[in-house]
Amino acid sequence: MALDIQAIRRDFPILSKKVYNKPLVYLDNGATTQKPRCVVDKLVYNYYNENANIHRGVHFLSQEATEAHEEARRTVQQFLNARSSDEIVFTRGTTESINLVASSFTDECMSAGDEVIVSVMEHHSNIVPWQIQAARKGISLRVIPMNERGELDLEAYRQLFNEKTRLVSVAHVSNVLGTVNPVKEIVRIAHEQGVPVMIDGAQSVPHIPVDVQDLDAEFYVFSGHKIYGPTGIGVLYGKEEWLDRLPPYQGGGEMIASVSFEKTTFNELPFKFEAGTPDFIGSTALAEALRYVQALGMAEIEAYEHELLRYAEAKLEAIEGMRIFGKAREKSGVLSFLVGNIHHYDMGMLLDHLGIAVRTGHHCAQPLMQALGIEGTVRASFSFYNTKEEVDVLAAGIERVRKMF
Ligand code: PMP
């Protein structure tokens, strides 16, 4: 069933805000998404009604909060179609999830000279954690190149494997190019070589249906704030046998079975990876966000955002001097562009004064910018609450800025 966009927009109070006395056109969803009322209400409800530290208290309120947190974990499990809720670890977000895997996987499975395969279009958060491990342990990175459309070169990818390859870690969707990488195929190729895979789902989970059992990756990570949930909460999915195998990332309360000064034993999954008081308020609000998008339907969201992307591409391509970066055949709702010689920052600033929020710069993907031979782009990134009218405002805004230069 088609989405009722106007009804959806009413669920997001901020969308009726004015900036510089103009209606806000929010096209920075790749950076973070706006929150529906139900998610914010859930945060407030929890603080007023279910706030007690979890897993430790015998009292009523603590048990209620614990049950809500674990119910949220089951919601995430079901959303990703994971086998077990033990495979769902709550973290602070994609960045922390990747750092967790980089640290624990390197400790357990890698030694000097071993290699991790990433791609040229990774976000810094899937590059720098590996470089930190490289400095600690002498591991190194191999990089999958892309073609001119911004699609990963799978033949080159196959050639990167050797007896030193220990892990593949790639983005499902590029935050700059919008490319939807063929992760199922990427996983299949890695598995042929006996190599596990981590997928950065920061830009995929909010926009396309994801089934972790179908993809078969060992690890899959995402952030709550990019899928209409609160900031400060995210998810690491890991196959049980892998999470079991990896050592804890941080030490503290919650993640132990017993502690003495002589010896500490660790808790079972998933608590082994959740040291300290978890964000039990955020987890339940994230679950609320997942229920919200599920009620709309991930397939419906994908179809609508795709329609919006195609509409925007046609509109923007008609603008003189327009260069769009990322022409992949499989693409999600991200449009990176430059117009003539106009600096991305100037374009972003001037669009902002028209009420249009876009991202400018390197988008935390400087190696990708180097590969493209540019310093940065302007990026419009869409959500299901955006409209074709907003795309028209964007196109008219860009045209206006172009004429000024
Ligand atoms: N990976 C990708 C592809 C992203 O787009 C982002 C956020 N821009 C991240 C990782 C990092 O996410 P977070 O800042 O929520 O940890």
Side-chain angles (χ1 to χ4, degrees), residues 175-375:
N175 65 314
V176 178
L177 306 171
T179 309
V180 181
N181 288 317
V183 286
K184 199 170 167 180
E185 179 69 1
I186 286 171
V187 169
R188 202 184 56 73
I189 291 168
H191 286 180
E192 274 172 16
Q193 309 287 330
V195 173
V197 180
M198 169 157 65
I199 306 291
D200 170 357
Q203 299 291 346
S204 47
V205 166
H207 304 290
I208 58 181
V210 169
D211 178 332
V212 290
Q213 289 191 62
D214 180 51
L215 294 178
D216 203 26
E218 279 60 32
F219 306 100
Y220 197 102
V221 302
F222 72 94
S223 297
H225 71 98
K226 292 188 200 278
I227 184 162
Y228 313 95
T231 50
I233 184 119
V235 169
L236 160 64
Y237 155 83
K239 284 185 183 171
E240 199 164 345
E241 72 251 38
W242 277 95
L243 291 181
D244 262 336
R245 189 171 158 195
L246 299 190
Y249 175 51
Q250 295 181 323
E254 196 78 20
M255 51 76 73
I256 53 90
S258 73
V259 177
S260 71
F261 282 112
E262 288 70 40
K263 182 174 168 58
T264 289
T265 56
F266 301 128
N267 205 338
E268 60 199 24
L269 289 178
F271 312 114
K272 183 173 86 175
F273 292 108
E274 291 181 359
T277 299
D279 185 1
F280 53 86
I281 300 282
S283 62
T284 51
L286 170 61
E288 192 66 32
L290 298 183
R291 282 191 288 274
Y292 182 86
V293 292
Q294 242 170 352
L296 298 179
M298 287 311 299
E300 284 75 7
I301 288 173
E302 181 184 29
Y304 176 73
E305 290 178 358
H306 198 255
E307 185 186 322
L308 213 52
L309 173 72
R310 290 291 173 246
Y311 181 80
E313 277 174 343
K315 279 265 162 183
L316 265 57
E317 271 163 4
I319 296 171
E320 201 182 308
M322 173 63 65
R323 274 194 296 161
I324 291 175
F325 297 89
K327 296 271 173 84
R329 282 160 290 195
E330 294 292 327
K331 212 183 141 165
S332 162
V334 176
L335 262 184
S336 268
F337 62 90
L338 288 171
V339 180
N341 293 324
I342 305 170
H343 195 272
H344 51 84
Y345 184 69
D346 292 333
M347 176 64 82
M349 285 261 292
L350 291 164
L351 289 176
D352 174 52
H353 283 272
L354 301 171
I356 306 164
V358 290
R359 199 80 169 171
T360 65
H362 54 63
H363 314 294
C364 297
Q366 284 184 346
L368 174 60
M369 295 299 128
Q370 285 150 20
L372 293 169
I374 54 177
E375 271 176 33

Side-chain angles (χ1 to χ4, degrees), residues 30-32 92-98 121-126 171-176 200-204 221-226 232-233 359 363-364 379:
T32 199
R92 283 198 305 117
T94 304
T95 302
E96 189 175 60
S97 297
I98 296 176
M121 62 180 79
E122 296 312 312
H123 188 277
H124 294 164
S125 63
N126 193 26
H172 196 162
V173 171
S174 159
N175 65 314
V176 178
D200 170 357
Q203 299 291 346
S204 47
V221 302
F222 72 94
S223 297
H225 71 98
K226 292 188 200 278
I233 184 119
R359 199 80 169 171
H363 314 294
C364 297
R379 182 188 73 183

